[in-house]
Amino acid sequence: MRKRITFITACILIMSIFHIWLSAGLNRWTSTGSGGYDIVAIVFDPITPGTIYVGHRYGIHKSTDEGKSWFKLNDQLQLYQNIYDLLIDPLDPDTLLASTRHDGIFKSMDSGETWLRMIDSIPNGVLEIDPEYPAVIYAGSDGGVYKSTDGGLHWSFFKIHSIPRYVDHLVLNPHQTSVLYAGIYTNGIYKSSDGGMSWVESYAVAAPDYLYYLAIDPTGTGTLYAGVGRDLIHSTDGGSSWQLVSEDCFFAPHNTLVVSPWDNRTMYATDLNGIQISTDQGKSWEFLTRGGSMCLSFSPFSQGVMMRGDSLGLYLSLDAGKSWSKAGLSPAYGFIRVDPADPANLFVGGFGGFSKSSDHGGSWRFTDFGGADDETKVLGIDEENTNLIYAYLSPERLLKSTDA
């Protein structure tokens, strides 16, 4: 009997110690921001050159040096990861809006340092913001569109007919901001001329030709483009009528269609096969890259500077998409190495290079291997001279660095 009491007392003591550990946070882990990303949004600060925000399934990262290094934003968002869309206020770039796949819409008014959840009832909310009156925000949702006129404090819901699913695309005419277009994958395109309060059908689709793309010319013509099945159509009269532009030009489920802000004859389309470009307003297309891309964005400061994202990280182009280089946030696979001379220095492998942190994982800088896109299998650090680092790539390549 005495042994049984002793055993029970020991169990209670162990559980008490375990509870203390839990309370102290000794078993908790914090994401440091290097993993397999699905990058869904890239946002350039319209006023501050070099500042870029990236939304992905693990949250939001920020760079202040044109993408050379990245740090994860406030972990208030950590419990609500899996970003769906990301916007920046065009007149006040300290203000950001982020929608999540399951936990609503968040707002930051200090460049991402802190976040406040504005509404939790909008999953998968594609976002739009009025460029003239940024307090007016739209969010696509199941069966319609939510609208806020006070920066997200209060919302009103406007139904779009009897659509059975959420809004996949939301496009605002930047030169006539009361006009919006909503795209629904299984139904087609709807138009509102009164700031989202009422909607009319603009173009209907039916299986198997679903709506994949919806975009508007940002230069002021108001021309709309839509990817339906494998075809491209356009409207030059505000969605009243649509015409076929090109047939069988798209080959996989599509992610993004954008018109170049520098030349409205040039368009880009991303899908699981890569990035295609058209320089004749969509009549003909050719591939710029191979391999899936999920999003595409243009620098507001330098013509020809673009950034694209996919599950393997970020890529930068300085020549309007003709060539690309790694721009950080490369996912880590298989290993992590700690500098034996300075444990603040961490190394993780990726595709085409590796990421390094000098602050225990608080921020990361990606180093590529001169265009190689092979996976880094092993990384070795010389214990006597930690500036010597060896990288073994698949398939069978060995590289050496003498400057850490």
Side-chain angles (χ1 to χ4, degrees), residues 135-217:
V136 178
I137 307 165
Y138 301 91
S141 186
D142 287 331
V145 173
Y146 282 87
K147 179 180 181 179
S148 174
T149 59
D150 56 8
L153 295 177
H154 303 91
W155 296 82
S156 300
F157 179 74
F158 299 99
K159 190 173 180 60
I160 301 179
H161 295 260
S162 300
I163 61 172
R165 57 171 284 148
Y166 58 84
V167 173
D168 300 276
H169 310 276
L170 201 56
V171 173
L172 182 145
N173 186 329
H175 302 281
Q176 192 178 356
T177 58
S178 61
V179 176
L180 292 95
Y181 302 89
I184 294 90
Y185 172 71
T186 55
N187 291 65
I189 302 167
Y190 297 83
K191 178 181 179 179
S192 173
S193 300
D194 55 9
M197 291 188 290
S198 62
W199 297 84
V200 296
E201 186 180 76
S202 174
Y203 187 87
V205 301
D209 294 326
Y210 294 123
L211 177 71
Y212 290 105
Y213 290 137
L214 184 61
I216 192 169
D217 181 349

Side-chain angles (χ1 to χ4, degrees), residues 264-284:
N264 65 2
R265 296 169 298 178
T266 300
M267 304 168 63
Y268 299 86
T270 70
D271 60 30
L272 298 179
N273 288 319
I275 298 178
Q276 296 185 75
I277 185 174
S278 171
T279 56
D280 54 11
Q281 295 182 311
K283 297 180 180 65
S284 61

Side-chain angles (χ1 to χ4, degrees), residues 76-363:
Q76 284 176 277
L77 282 175
Q78 186 171 339
L79 295 176
Y80 313 103
Q81 296 171 351
N82 218 334
I83 301 300
Y84 190 80
D85 203 0
L86 185 64
L87 287 182
I88 191 168
D89 186 320
L91 302 183
D92 177 14
D94 289 338
T95 299
L96 298 162
L97 292 165
S99 68
T100 63
R101 290 195 177 274
H102 307 291
D103 295 287
I105 296 174
F106 291 77
K107 182 178 182 179
S108 172
M109 300 181 69
D110 53 10
S111 302
E113 293 297 319
T114 59
W115 294 83
L116 176 67
R117 181 154 56 180
M118 309 305 293
I119 185 170
D120 60 6
S121 59
I122 304 178
N124 299 324
V126 59
L127 299 174
E128 266 289 6
I129 188 169
D130 189 319
E132 298 177 356
Y133 305 99
V136 178
I137 307 165
Y138 301 91
S141 186
D142 287 331
V145 173
Y146 282 87
K147 179 180 181 179
S148 174
T149 59
D150 56 8
L153 295 177
H154 303 91
W155 296 82
S156 300
F157 179 74
F158 299 99
K159 190 173 180 60
I160 301 179
H161 295 260
S162 300
I163 61 172
R165 57 171 284 148
Y166 58 84
V167 173
D168 300 276
H169 310 276
L170 201 56
V171 173
L172 182 145
N173 186 329
H175 302 281
Q176 192 178 356
T177 58
S178 61
V179 176
L180 292 95
Y181 302 89
I184 294 90
Y185 172 71
T186 55
N187 291 65
I189 302 167
Y190 297 83
K191 178 181 179 179
S192 173
S193 300
D194 55 9
M197 291 188 290
S198 62
W199 297 84
V200 296
E201 186 180 76
S202 174
Y203 187 87
V205 301
D209 294 326
Y210 294 123
L211 177 71
Y212 290 105
Y213 290 137
L214 184 61
I216 192 169
D217 181 349
T219 64
T221 67
T223 300
L224 293 160
Y225 295 91
V228 178
R230 294 178 60 175
D231 303 334
L232 179 70
I233 62 175
H234 76 173
S235 173
T236 58
D237 56 9
S240 296
S241 63
W242 293 82
Q243 295 80 40
L244 179 68
V245 178
S246 55
E247 289 185 287
D248 292 331
C249 55
F250 304 129
F251 305 100
H254 324 314
N255 294 317
T256 306
L257 177 70
V258 288
V259 181
S260 169
W262 313 304
D263 178 2
N264 65 2
R265 296 169 298 178
T266 300
M267 304 168 63
Y268 299 86
T270 70
D271 60 30
L272 298 179
N273 288 319
I275 298 178
Q276 296 185 75
I277 185 174
S278 171
T279 56
D280 54 11
Q281 295 182 311
K283 297 180 180 65
S284 61
W285 294 82
E286 63 176 327
F287 274 99
L288 286 175
T289 67
R290 291 289 183 175
S293 291
M294 303 183 70
C295 60
L296 192 67
S297 189
F298 304 93
S299 168
F301 300 103
S302 303
Q303 183 168 331
V305 176
M306 305 165 58
M307 190 168 281
R308 66 180 175 92
D310 59 24
S311 61
L312 298 181
L314 285 169
Y315 301 82
L316 177 69
S317 174
L318 303 178
D319 53 12
K322 295 182 180 65
S323 61
W324 298 86
S325 60
K326 288 284 179 65
L329 288 187
S330 178
Y333 288 98
F335 70 82
I336 181 169
R337 295 289 180 266
V338 181
D339 186 334
D342 184 355
N345 294 329
L346 307 176
F347 302 84
V348 293
F351 281 91
F354 67 92
S355 294
K356 177 182 178 180
S357 173
S358 300
D359 54 6
H360 300 281
S363 60

